[in-house]
Amino acid sequence: YDLCFSMFDYLTARPGMFQMRLFPSRITPGCLPSLAEQIDSVADLKNHRLIHESRICEDWTQWALHFGVSSIDPTEGDTYPNLDMATKAAVMGNGILMADLALCRDELAAGTLVLPFPDMICDAADGDFSVLCAEKRRSEPAISAFLAWIDEAAQAERHALQ
């Protein structure tokens, strides 16, 4: 491959790779506005179905650990094979998603998802969104041009997530 996108830190696992961090993966619970109206505190989450984007359930676990939330079992709930399907389930009212602020931007902007705890945002366990290539190919004109373009495009996302 010439380039790839990832959320994992490959630099420690694969020497000889160049990794450009584009923007952080920031997470917080997201749900339908009508569900958010039923949530007054973090403890109320136990009365709702949690939605997971994978069987690992690491986003809910990361968030609960980060904020010291012990009133929920972060592994309970429904599991979907990816964030897109999990987001669609949340938009349909099937529960509360651990929303990635960048990847759920459209739903948040449209108001189909809202954040019941907008001040409780943390970094996802996976790491930052990154683009990778072989270090030895980094200076090739096409790859260098793409890296410059994607870095500039990602600046707006970095700013929005701060």
Side-chain angles (χ1 to χ4, degrees):
Y1 62 87
D2 294 322
L3 297 158
C4 71
F5 290 92
S6 178
M7 288 185 61
F8 301 99
D9 185 357
Y10 279 94
L11 295 183
T12 55
R14 298 203 177 173
M17 294 295 293
F18 169 74
Q19 181 171 9
M20 176 188 290
R21 296 186 193 288
L22 299 174
F23 49 86
S25 176
R26 310 272 296 152
I27 57 173
T28 190
C31 61
L32 280 178
S34 59
L35 264 179
E37 292 172 4
Q38 302 171 29
I39 301 171
D40 295 320
S41 71
V42 172
D44 293 334
L45 290 173
K46 70 178 179 281
N47 302 321
H48 299 278
R49 180 178 293 130
L50 303 183
I51 295 176
H52 303 278
E53 66 172 278
S54 75
R55 291 187 309 251
I56 299 170
C57 305
E58 67 186 356
D59 285 348
W60 276 103
T61 301
Q62 171 77 4
W63 184 83
L65 288 171
H66 184 85
F67 291 105
V69 174
S70 59
S71 58
I72 62 166
D73 179 347
T75 63
E76 289 289 320
D78 294 343
T79 301
Y80 293 85
N82 56 53
L83 182 61
D84 186 53
M85 292 181 75
T87 301
K88 290 195 184 333
V91 168
M92 292 172 58
N94 292 336
I96 303 172
L97 168 75
M98 186 52 63
D100 182 293
L101 297 180
L103 298 180
C104 293
R105 175 192 299 276
D106 292 343
E107 293 82 3
L108 293 167
T112 56
L113 283 182
V114 297
L115 308 177
F117 311 107
D119 296 329
M120 296 179 75
I121 298 170
C122 69
D123 291 329
D126 285 343
D128 297 338
F129 290 94
S130 300
V131 62
L132 299 122
C133 69
E135 181 67 50
K136 65 185 178 188
R137 297 194 59 201
R138 179 178 168 193
S139 61
E140 291 178 17
I143 291 176
S144 178
F146 180 83
L147 291 173
W149 171 80
I150 196 75
D151 185 46
E152 184 177 326
Q155 284 180 16
E157 193 65 38
R158 286 192 294 267
H159 180 71
L161 292 172
Q162 290 179 348

